[in-house]
Amino acid sequence: MNKYMELAIREAREGIENGHGGPFGTVIVKDGEIVGRGHNCVLRDNDATCHGEVAAIRDAGKRLGTFDLSGCELYTTGEPCHMCLCACMWANISKIYYGCNIEDNGMIGFRDDKFDRIFGGRDKLEGYMTEVDRDACLQLFKDYLKLNPQKY
């Protein structure tokens, strides 16, 4: 398993265990170093925008002292929703690696597919996003479902 995706999974599990939100954990890497971490905190913060990717982008910006995350790669347990995908692009993230895909996100009750039908465009991002370690992330999602989580 990719070591950065393993850390993203750990980040997601921390959030789940603390009741912060869904099974979405993220790490941001620059030059082989972790520069940002985050997990879904929608429930904890009552903030619909506090997805793992956004939390990690905020963390990386603070740590690096810049809004420009050029040269950074993002590892996340679920394929980014449109909001997070756009946030990655605004932050100049160079590459995204994700575990579970949009359909998998739907399997656990998230409605990313709805927004994909409205906004589309992923086909125009050739090479920007790559699926890795899907099986490990699917196990995370299955473990999350066993908790009978709150849907949001």
Side-chain angles (χ1 to χ4, degrees):
M1 179 187 319
N2 179 289
K3 68 180 181 180
Y4 301 120
M5 186 59 78
E6 186 174 354
L7 293 170
I9 290 170
R10 283 189 203 161
E11 186 71 31
R13 288 194 185 282
E14 178 184 326
I16 293 167
E17 290 167 7
N18 289 296
H20 294 172
F24 304 103
T26 304
V27 295
I28 297 176
V29 179
K30 184 168 187 174
D31 300 325
E33 299 289 324
I34 303 288
V35 296
R37 298 174 178 267
H39 58 263
N40 186 294
C41 291
V42 169
L43 297 177
R44 182 193 73 189
D45 296 353
N46 291 311
D47 179 353
T49 68
C50 198
H51 292 194
E53 298 92 335
V54 172
I57 288 168
R58 290 171 181 162
D59 185 47
K62 286 179 187 172
R63 287 184 192 207
L64 296 174
T66 182
F67 58 86
D68 184 359
L69 301 182
S70 295
C72 292
E73 296 179 332
L74 184 141
Y75 292 79
T76 189
T77 56
E79 186 174 355
C81 68
H82 274 276
M83 177 186 71
C84 291
L85 181 54
C86 289
C88 290
M89 295 170 82
W90 276 111
N92 296 315
I93 298 288
S94 299
K95 177 85 175 168
I96 296 171
Y97 296 94
Y98 64 90
C100 290
N101 60 42
I102 293 295
E103 292 80 23
D104 299 329
N105 294 351
M107 173 190 77
I108 59 168
F110 290 86
R111 52 201 162 111
D112 302 41
D113 60 329
K114 172 185 176 182
F115 297 100
D116 259 16
R117 286 191 305 274
I118 295 168
F119 299 111
R122 289 178 189 270
D123 58 320
K124 295 176 180 76
L125 299 172
E126 187 176 327
Y128 186 56
M129 296 192 299
T130 301
E131 183 180 283
V132 296
D133 295 320
R134 181 171 177 245
D135 289 339
C137 291
L138 276 173
Q139 185 58 55
L140 168 71
F141 278 25
K142 289 174 186 173
D143 293 344
Y144 172 74
L145 274 179
K146 288 177 191 172
L147 301 172
N148 193 27
Q150 177 182 346
K151 301 288 188 215
Y152 59 95

